[in-house]
């Protein structure tokens, strides 16, 4: 999963750069929302709280959300990998967040 997430991070960073340089207004609005989630996910992924179930769950849920958004916005774009599809791996359990 770490390999997929690193590949997804690279793909999203490339797409955000591409949209910033060439996208229309609507694409840039979508990318701005994705950028906010991506920044938080990347920050948590790179420095997770040791032993925190909540942190691990948040990383998983943010990653799954990013895969949903990336699939809707960029499926078929150069660099898209079928392992990014949200149905390839679901999010972590909500139970940790609800407890």
């Amino acid at each position: 999963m770490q390999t997929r997430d690193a590949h997804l991070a690279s793909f999203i960073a490339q797409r955000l750069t591409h949209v910033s340089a060439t996208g229309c207004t609507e694409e840039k609005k979508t990318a701005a929302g994705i950028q906010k989630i991506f920044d938080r996910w990347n920050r948590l992924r790179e420095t997770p709280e040791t032993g925190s179930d909540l942190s691990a769950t948040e990383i998983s849920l943010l990653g799954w959300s990013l895969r949903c958004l990336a699939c809707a916005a960029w499926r078929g774009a150069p660099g898209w990998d079928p392992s990014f599809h949200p149905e390839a791996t679901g999010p972590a359990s909500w139970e940790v967040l609800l407890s």
Side-chain angles (χ1 to χ4, degrees), residues 11 13 16 28 32 38 44 49 55 58 67-68 74 77-80 83 86-88 94:
F11 172 77
L16 290 170
K28 288 180 180 182
F38 177 66
L44 287 172
E49 295 177 25
S55 179
E58 185 176 4
R67 291 196 316 272
C68 289
W74 300 314
W80 174 260
S83 72
E87 291 180 2
W94 285 89

Side-chain angles (χ1 to χ4, degrees), residues 8-86:
L8 176 63
S10 176
F11 172 77
I12 291 175
Q14 289 172 1
R15 297 311 310 160
L16 290 170
T17 299
H18 177 76
V19 169
S20 177
T22 65
C24 69
T25 302
E26 287 302 312
E27 288 172 314
K28 288 180 180 182
K29 284 181 185 178
T30 299
I34 293 172
Q35 180 77 58
K36 289 179 185 177
I37 297 168
F38 177 66
D39 289 345
R40 178 151 178 83
W41 174 70
N42 231 8
R43 194 169 43 255
L44 287 172
R45 191 174 64 85
E46 291 174 355
T47 56
E49 295 177 25
T50 310
S52 170
D53 286 341
L54 183 58
S55 179
T57 300
E58 185 176 4
I59 292 166
S60 177
L61 290 172
L62 289 170
W64 185 76
S65 298
L66 280 171
R67 291 196 316 272
C68 289
L69 292 167
C71 184
W74 300 314
R75 181 181 48 223
W80 174 260
D81 187 303
S83 72
F84 299 160
H85 197 284

